[in-house]
């Protein structure tokens, strides 16, 4: 047990907690091309969960003390995985593409892209239930995307060498 702990400590492993953002940042501003983008709402909720001050209000903090996350419109694709013997689609792979830009004060914007994937089984006999299930799956994918964006902030800050 002691050997495993020392090996993990030696390689730089640390437990994930709240992202470490530079101390000189007061606010995380979230900007989106669409006013009521679902990913923007999910991101605001995740900021609250992580205990970070942020949202969509401008003029809350001086420009030199705020981090800006600019969200591009979300992308959702379906890839066919399997079909029933009747030719109807049985299973899809949902691909939720997230493209965003982070701007730390005094640095050039950093653009990032990633995908969140889920398998989704379709049943033509359960159209209403499957429609509701699809909405729930998409909501979970947005929450995962928002969580991933926030967790990446500390890594991006470290790469830029901002004042941590």
């Amino acid at each position: 047990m002691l050997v495993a702990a020392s090996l993990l400590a030696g390689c730089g492993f640390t437990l994930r907690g709240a992202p470490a953002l530079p101390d000189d940042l007061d606010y995380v501003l979230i900007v989106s091309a669409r006013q009521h983008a679902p990913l923007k709402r999910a991101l605001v909720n995740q900021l609250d969960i992580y205990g970070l001050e942020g949202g969509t209000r401008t003029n809350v903090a001086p420009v030199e003390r705020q981090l800006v996350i600019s969200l591009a419109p979300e992308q959702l694709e379906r890839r066919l995985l399997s079909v029933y013997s009747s030719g109807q689609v049985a299973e899809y792979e949902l691909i939720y593409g997230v493209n965003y830009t982070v701007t730390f004060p005094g640095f050039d914007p950093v653009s990032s892209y990633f995908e969140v994937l889920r398998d989704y089984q379709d049943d033509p006999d359960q159209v209403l239930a499957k429609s509701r299930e699809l909405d729930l799956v998409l909501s979970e994918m947005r929450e995962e995307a928002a969580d991933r964006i926030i967790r990446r902030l500390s890594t991006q800050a470290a790469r830029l060498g901002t004042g941590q």
Side-chain angles (χ1 to χ4, degrees):
M1 182 75 122
L2 184 61
V3 174
S6 62
L7 284 174
L8 285 176
C11 73
F13 175 80
T14 58
L15 291 174
R16 274 195 306 194
L21 294 178
D23 294 332
D24 58 349
L25 291 177
D26 292 336
Y27 192 75
V28 178
L29 176 63
I30 303 167
V31 179
S32 175
R34 298 177 65 200
Q35 184 176 359
H36 300 290
L39 181 56
K40 182 167 75 170
R41 286 194 305 270
L43 201 47
V44 170
N45 291 340
Q46 288 294 59
L47 286 173
D48 289 340
I49 290 170
Y50 279 107
L52 299 172
E53 183 68 29
T56 59
R57 298 181 321 226
T58 56
N59 299 328
V60 173
V63 174
E64 62 274 359
R65 296 189 58 84
Q66 68 183 0
L67 170 106
V68 179
I69 301 173
S70 301
L71 302 172
E74 61 187 13
Q75 303 165 7
L76 181 64
E77 297 177 30
R78 292 183 194 195
R79 186 178 308 154
L80 181 67
L81 292 180
S82 64
V83 293
Y84 293 115
S85 59
S86 65
Q88 289 181 311
V89 175
E91 189 176 18
Y92 290 105
E93 179 178 50
L94 299 174
I95 305 164
Y96 183 72
V98 178
N99 196 354
Y100 69 100
T101 303
V102 175
T103 307
F104 287 90
F107 291 92
D108 291 332
V110 177
S111 294
S112 296
Y113 177 81
F114 63 88
E115 294 176 341
V116 178
L117 307 173
R118 292 284 190 283
D119 289 348
Y120 172 73
Q121 294 181 348
D122 202 8
D123 184 357
D125 297 329
Q126 302 288 328
V127 175
L128 289 176
K130 285 299 185 174
S131 173
R132 178 67 180 137
E133 181 183 347
L134 180 60
D135 290 343
L136 289 172
V137 168
L138 290 174
S139 178
E140 287 176 5
M141 292 172 82
R142 286 183 186 108
E143 287 177 19
E144 181 180 330
D147 186 56
R148 199 179 295 184
I149 289 170
I150 292 174
R151 284 186 286 121
R152 285 182 167 191
L153 291 178
S154 58
T155 305
Q156 291 168 329
R159 255 189 231 135
L160 292 173
T162 60
Q164 286 194 27

